Amino acid sequence: MPLEISKNAMQLLQERYLLKNDRGQAIETLDQLFRRVAKCVASVETNDSKLWENRFFDQMAKLEFLPNSPTLMNAGQPNGQLSACFVLPIEDSLESIFTTLKNAALIHQSGGGTGYNFSNLRPKNDMLTSLGGTSSGPIAFMNVYDAATQHVKQGGKRRGANMGILNVDHPDIKEFVTAKLDGVSLQNFNISVGITDNFMNALAKGVPWDLINPRNGKAEKTIDPKTLWSSLVQAAWRTGDPGLIFLDTINAHNPIPKQGLIKSTNPCGEVPLLGYESCNLGSVNLSKMITFRSHKAAIDWDRLGFAVALGVRFLDNVIQCNHYLLKEVEGMAHKNRKIGLGVMGWAELLLQLEIPYASKEAVQLGERLMYFIKTQSYETSEKLAKEKGCFPAWDKSVLNPNTKLRNATCNSIAPTGSISIIANTTYSIEPFYALAFKRKGVLDNKTQVSLNSIVQEKLTQLGYWTNDIREQLLETGSIQHINSIPKNIRSLFETSLEIPWKYHLKHQRAFQKYTDNAVSKTINLPNSATEKDISDIYRTAWEYGLKGITIYRDGSKANQVLQKCGFPENDGC
C-alpha cells in the first residue's frame, strides 16, 4: 500500500480512478492501479521494460511522482487517452466551429481539457457575405460549447474543462469580459483576455485603442483602453474572470516559431499550445524530497534529481503509448513531443524547512529549485535524444543547432488539483489555502474536509500543539490570531489569504523564470481586496514577464470549491 493515503484520497480514487465492474464496484487496489499505469508506460521501452516498469511503479507508490489524471485513469485500458491538455483551432466558418466542438466533446469524454482562441470569428452582427444576414459572434458560439460541455463528462467521471480566449483587439471584447457576470453563462469555461504588449503600452500612455474586425483586418471602432481595462478589472473582482494571457510573452518563448503563433493555452493556462497540440503532465511531490540532518530538514537534491529524470522519461513514453482520438493531434504530438513536468507540495516543503512563504528566502529557494529541475529535465531530454532521437521538428526549432532534445518543452507548473489530494500534499506552488478547510464540488454532491497532517506534526514538533489550539485552528483555519504562539512561528503557517499578493506574484515569477511552458497559479485574495488591487496585480504580472495571470477574491462566487471553515459545520461556509 502506498504511503499516507488519506481518507479523502481514497474517496477520490474510488470515485474516479480505480477500475470498476458493471455494478460500479472497484475491482483494483491502488497498488494495482499504479502497476497498470507503470506497465503501460514502460511497454514502449525496447530494453529492460520490466526495469522501467518497476521504477515507474516505485515512484508512484511512494507518491514521489504522479502523472496527470487521464494517465492514471486510462493507461492500460483499451484505446486509453492519456493526455490532459489540448488546444483546438477555430476558424471563421460553421464547419470549423462545429468540427472543433465535436472534437472537443470526444476529448472531454476521454478525460482531457481543451483550450481555444475565438478571435478568428467575426464579431456579432457582422455581415455574412455568402448568405446575407448577420453573424452571431464568438460569445454566442462559446455558449454553445458551454452547453455541450455540461453534458459530456471528462472520462465519464468529471465535467469537461475549457479555456476560452478572446484577443484584446476583437470588436466583441467588452461583451467577452463581462460574459460571466450573470453567474450562469460560461460556467464550464475559464476565460482570459489575450493581451498584447501594444495594448499595455496604450493603456499606460492613455492613447486610443483600435478594435479590429478579423474578417477584413480593418479597424471597426476605437475605444479608450482605460475604459476596457476598468470593465475587465471589475469583472475579475466580481467573479474571478477574466484572467489574462500575455500572448507576446508566450510567443517570445515559443520553441518552434516557424510552426506559427501560439494563440491559446490549456484550461488552467500552464501549457501554451499551437492548434492540435497536446501535452502530458506530471508532478514531483516536493514534500517527499526531504532529508534530515541532525533532526533538521533539508532538500534531498539527489532524490529530487532522480525523480525529475524518471518523470521526464515517463512523460516522454506517454507520447508513444497514448491513444490519439484525432490524427492531427497525433501528428503534432509526435512532431514536437511536448511534455510538462512540474511540482506539488511546495508549501509543505517550505514548512518542513521552516521558511515562511512570504519571505525573500522562500522566493530565492523557489528560483533555485526550479533551475535545478529545469537543468535536470533538459539533461534527461538530451540523453533521451541520444538514445531515441530528437523530436522531429528539432531542426526548425530555436534549439537548433546547439541543444539536441527529445522534447520541445519539458516543464509546466500545473495546478495539481486531484493528484495533490492523492499524494496528500499541498497544491502545486500554492501556499496553504487554509490550515483546515472544506473542499466542495470535487466529487459530485460531496464535501471533503481537510486538515493537513504536516500542520499538526510541525506545531507538535515546535511545542505549540494543544487541544485548545486544535479547536481554534479547526474553527477558523488559521493560527494568526493565537497570540500565545510567537509571531515568527505563526509566519510559517500563513495561509493564502493572509499572504500579501506581491509574494504570490514573486513565487510565480521565480518558478516561471525556469519553466519553459507556463505556471498555473491563482492569486487568492481576501474578500476585502479592491479593484485597484486587481489592476495592480494584472499590471505587475505583465511587468514581471509572466505568461498569464489569474486572481480569485474570496467569496466572489456562489459555489466556491475551497472554504476556510472546516470543523465543525457552521453557517459561515
Side-chain angles (χ1 to χ4, degrees):
M1 173 63 70
L3 302 174
E4 299 177 30
I5 292 297
S6 68
K7 180 180 178 181
N8 287 341
M10 282 308 304
Q11 184 183 48
L12 181 64
L13 286 159
Q14 289 170 354
E15 285 280 334
R16 288 189 182 167
Y17 294 89
L18 301 179
L19 297 183
K20 297 178 180 179
N21 60 22
D22 293 340
R23 298 186 299 277
Q25 300 167 325
I27 56 172
E28 68 177 351
T29 65
L30 185 53
D31 273 8
Q32 289 170 334
L33 181 156
F34 288 148
R35 180 62 66 180
R36 164 171 59 83
V37 173
K39 184 175 183 178
C40 173
V41 175
S43 67
V44 300
E45 295 283 356
T46 55
N47 295 311
D48 295 324
S49 63
K50 191 65 180 179
L51 169 70
W52 291 110
E53 176 189 330
N54 289 334
R55 287 179 177 176
F56 293 153
F57 171 82
D58 188 56
Q59 284 288 95
M60 290 186 287
K62 290 179 179 176
L63 303 176
E64 294 183 358
F65 164 84
L66 289 176
N68 52 219
S69 289
T71 300
L72 289 174
M73 293 173 179
N74 300 331
Q77 290 284 82
N79 299 326
Q81 194 291 110
L82 311 183
S83 300
C85 307
F86 299 79
V87 162
L88 297 177
I90 301 177
E91 302 302 330
D92 190 32
S93 72
L94 278 180
E95 181 180 4
S96 174
I97 292 166
F98 283 95
T99 296
T100 294
L101 177 59
K102 177 195 74 173
N103 292 338
L106 293 172
I107 288 169
H108 289 170
Q109 186 183 45
S110 72
T114 46
Y116 333 81
N117 189 315
F118 290 87
S119 300
N120 285 336
L121 302 190
R122 66 190 69 192
K124 185 178 181 180
N125 296 325
D126 194 40
M127 63 179 180
L128 298 172
T129 53
S130 61
L131 301 173
T134 57
S135 166
S136 301
I139 315 304
F141 288 114
M142 288 182 70
N143 280 305
V144 174
Y145 277 51
D146 185 64
T149 303
Q150 183 71 25
H151 298 289
V152 182
K153 284 188 174 183
Q154 285 181 306
K157 297 170 183 177
R158 54 180 182 167
R159 200 165 63 215
N162 299 296
M163 169 66 83
I165 295 174
L166 197 70
N167 291 355
V168 73
D169 62 354
H170 193 282
D172 290 354
I173 190 64
K174 176 65 183 296
E175 182 184 357
F176 177 81
V177 302
T178 59
K180 295 183 73 171
L181 287 180
D182 62 8
V184 176
S185 302
L186 303 181
Q187 294 304 297
N188 300 298
F189 270 92
N190 294 327
I191 65 170
S192 288
V193 176
I195 295 287
T196 61
D197 292 346
N198 284 341
F199 175 81
M200 296 303 293
N201 290 327
L203 178 67
K205 296 174 182 176
V207 300
W209 180 249
D210 288 339
L211 302 182
I212 308 298
N213 189 326
R215 177 176 56 82
N216 56 24
K218 295 180 179 179
E220 184 163 295
K221 61 181 83 168
T222 300
I223 64 169
D224 179 353
K226 292 182 179 179
T227 301
L228 176 60
W229 185 259
S230 178
S231 296
L232 186 159
V233 165
Q234 184 183 67
W237 181 85
R238 287 177 59 183
T239 68
D241 286 293
L244 306 183
I245 297 293
F246 298 113
L247 295 171
D248 289 327
T249 305
I250 284 172
N251 281 291
H253 296 88
N254 181 1
I256 319 171
K258 292 180 181 179
Q259 290 186 20
L261 291 175
I262 293 175
K263 300 177 181 178
S264 186
T265 73
N266 71 315
C268 292
E270 73 270 21
V271 191
L273 295 169
L274 295 160
Y276 291 118
E277 277 196 305
S278 60
C279 194
N280 311 310
L281 307 179
S283 297
V284 173
N285 184 356
L286 296 176
S287 71
K288 302 292 185 184
M289 303 297 132
I290 293 174
T291 187
F292 289 90
R293 298 169 185 156
S294 302
H295 305 290
K296 188 171 178 62
I299 295 175
D300 188 334
W301 296 100
D302 290 338
R303 183 187 295 184
L304 177 59
F306 181 82
V308 169
L310 203 66
V312 168
R313 191 179 190 105
F314 181 107
L315 295 176
D316 182 69
N317 281 4
V318 170
I319 296 169
Q320 296 302 116
C321 64
N322 205 348
H323 170 72
Y324 295 92
L325 300 168
L326 305 173
K327 66 180 186 303
E328 297 93 339
V329 171
E330 182 174 17
M332 292 294 281
H334 284 278
K335 181 162 66 172
N336 298 334
R337 305 193 69 84
K338 287 186 176 179
I339 61 171
L341 181 72
V343 298
M344 55 184 164
W346 172 235
E348 189 168 332
L349 173 67
L350 289 175
L351 181 57
Q352 290 271 41
L353 299 176
E354 299 183 12
I355 300 173
Y357 191 97
S359 69
K360 184 177 179 180
E361 185 180 1
V363 174
Q364 289 175 338
L365 180 62
E367 189 172 311
R368 179 188 173 199
L369 181 92
M370 199 61 214
Y371 173 78
F372 177 86
I373 290 172
K374 182 177 182 180
T375 301
Q376 294 294 313
S377 298
Y378 273 49
E379 286 181 1
T380 303
S381 189
E382 203 163 4
K383 290 176 182 176
L384 286 171
K386 292 177 181 177
E387 179 183 342
K388 302 181 178 183
C390 294
F391 64 95
W394 174 82
D395 60 336
K396 297 180 177 64
S397 76
V398 298
L399 298 167
N400 180 19
N402 297 319
T403 309
K404 292 186 175 182
L405 297 183
R406 177 71 167 165
N407 314 96
T409 64
C410 292
N411 301 116
S412 298
I413 305 295
T416 70
S418 296
I419 62 171
S420 62
I421 298 173
I422 296 171
N424 195 29
T425 192
T426 49
Y427 296 125
S428 187
I429 62 165
E430 302 287 358
F432 290 96
Y433 174 76
L435 305 183
F437 61 87
K438 286 182 176 180
R439 187 185 295 111
K440 302 187 73 171
V442 174
L443 298 173
D444 291 343
N445 301 316
K446 293 180 181 176
T447 296
Q448 291 187 333
V449 180
S450 181
L451 167 61
N452 197 307
S453 58
I454 188 63
V455 171
Q456 179 177 345
E457 291 171 14
K458 197 66 182 176
L459 283 170
T460 301
Q461 178 188 332
L462 294 168
Y464 295 103
W465 185 257
T466 66
N467 286 334
D468 180 58
I469 285 176
R470 177 182 181 275
E471 292 304 314
Q472 292 187 62
L473 187 156
L474 296 178
E475 183 177 349
T476 66
S478 173
I479 64 167
Q480 298 308 308
H481 61 290
I482 304 177
N483 293 326
S484 60
I485 300 177
K487 187 175 181 180
N488 68 312
I489 300 298
R490 280 182 279 153
S491 70
L492 300 175
F493 297 87
E494 284 184 324
T495 61
S496 185
L497 304 182
E498 296 162 346
I499 290 167
W501 64 258
K502 291 182 179 179
Y503 274 102
H504 282 274
L505 276 185
K506 286 178 179 179
H507 279 261
Q508 186 171 346
R509 178 175 63 171
F511 279 87
Q512 181 64 78
K513 186 174 181 179
Y514 296 110
T515 299
D516 50 12
N517 281 305
V519 175
S520 175
K521 168 131 183 42
T522 300
I523 312 303
N524 279 299
L525 300 169
N527 185 263
S528 59
T530 65
E531 290 180 28
K532 182 182 183 302
D533 290 331
I534 293 167
S535 178
D536 290 345
I537 290 168
Y538 280 1
R539 288 175 187 262
T540 304
W542 175 69
E543 292 167 359
Y544 276 4
L546 303 183
K547 294 181 179 179
I549 183 68
T550 304
I551 65 94
Y552 181 73
R553 184 176 63 89
D554 192 53
S556 61
K557 286 186 179 177
N559 299 312
Q560 183 166 306
V561 173
L562 298 182
Q563 302 184 10
K564 277 198 301 183
C565 43
F567 312 84
E569 297 279 342
N570 66 60
D571 295 335
C573 289

